[in-house]
Amino acid sequence: MIRPTVVALALCVVSSAQSMPYVPLQQPDNSIILVRQGCGLGRQLVDGICVSNTKVRAAVRKCSARKMRMVNGRCEPRARPAAAPAAAPPTIQQPAATPATPR
């Protein structure tokens, strides 16, 4: 009695597993090839133009020697920190007014 029940249950499980369709995995669309900043290996985009990394490093060194910084392919002066505002004179606080008594 137990053996036919186990066989029937096994057939139910196996037949339902085989009846399930296989779902194909979604393949990535390779129509676009990603490249770093659109310039390729060893080059980078500076002010809209592809420039080799060695030229960019040389320009950065030139700006650093002048105590400047490189911004969008140009040397610009370094920003100086803002001066601290002058200390305001201390204000005299008025004593708190007492609440009016109800009449």
Side-chain angles (χ1 to χ4, degrees), residues 9-101:
L9 182 63
L11 285 174
C12 289
V13 171
V14 171
S15 64
S16 66
Q18 288 180 350
S19 66
M20 293 173 57
Y22 293 108
V23 178
L25 296 174
Q26 184 131 6
Q27 298 297 324
D29 185 13
N30 291 333
S31 62
I32 298 174
I33 299 173
L34 301 176
V35 178
R36 182 178 172 262
Q37 296 177 349
C39 291
L41 187 64
R43 301 176 70 81
Q44 55 184 296
L45 194 65
V46 176
D47 208 19
I49 300 171
C50 290
V51 181
S52 68
N53 289 341
T54 56
K55 289 184 181 180
V56 172
R57 281 193 295 266
V60 169
R61 279 190 220 108
K62 184 174 81 172
C63 290
S64 296
R66 296 179 183 173
K67 306 249 189 269
M68 301 177 103
R69 66 186 182 126
M70 175 79 112
V71 177
N72 291 334
R74 296 178 191 87
C75 293
E76 289 188 1
R78 293 191 187 273
R80 294 185 178 177
T91 58
I92 302 172
Q93 293 183 350
Q94 299 290 333
T98 57
T101 56

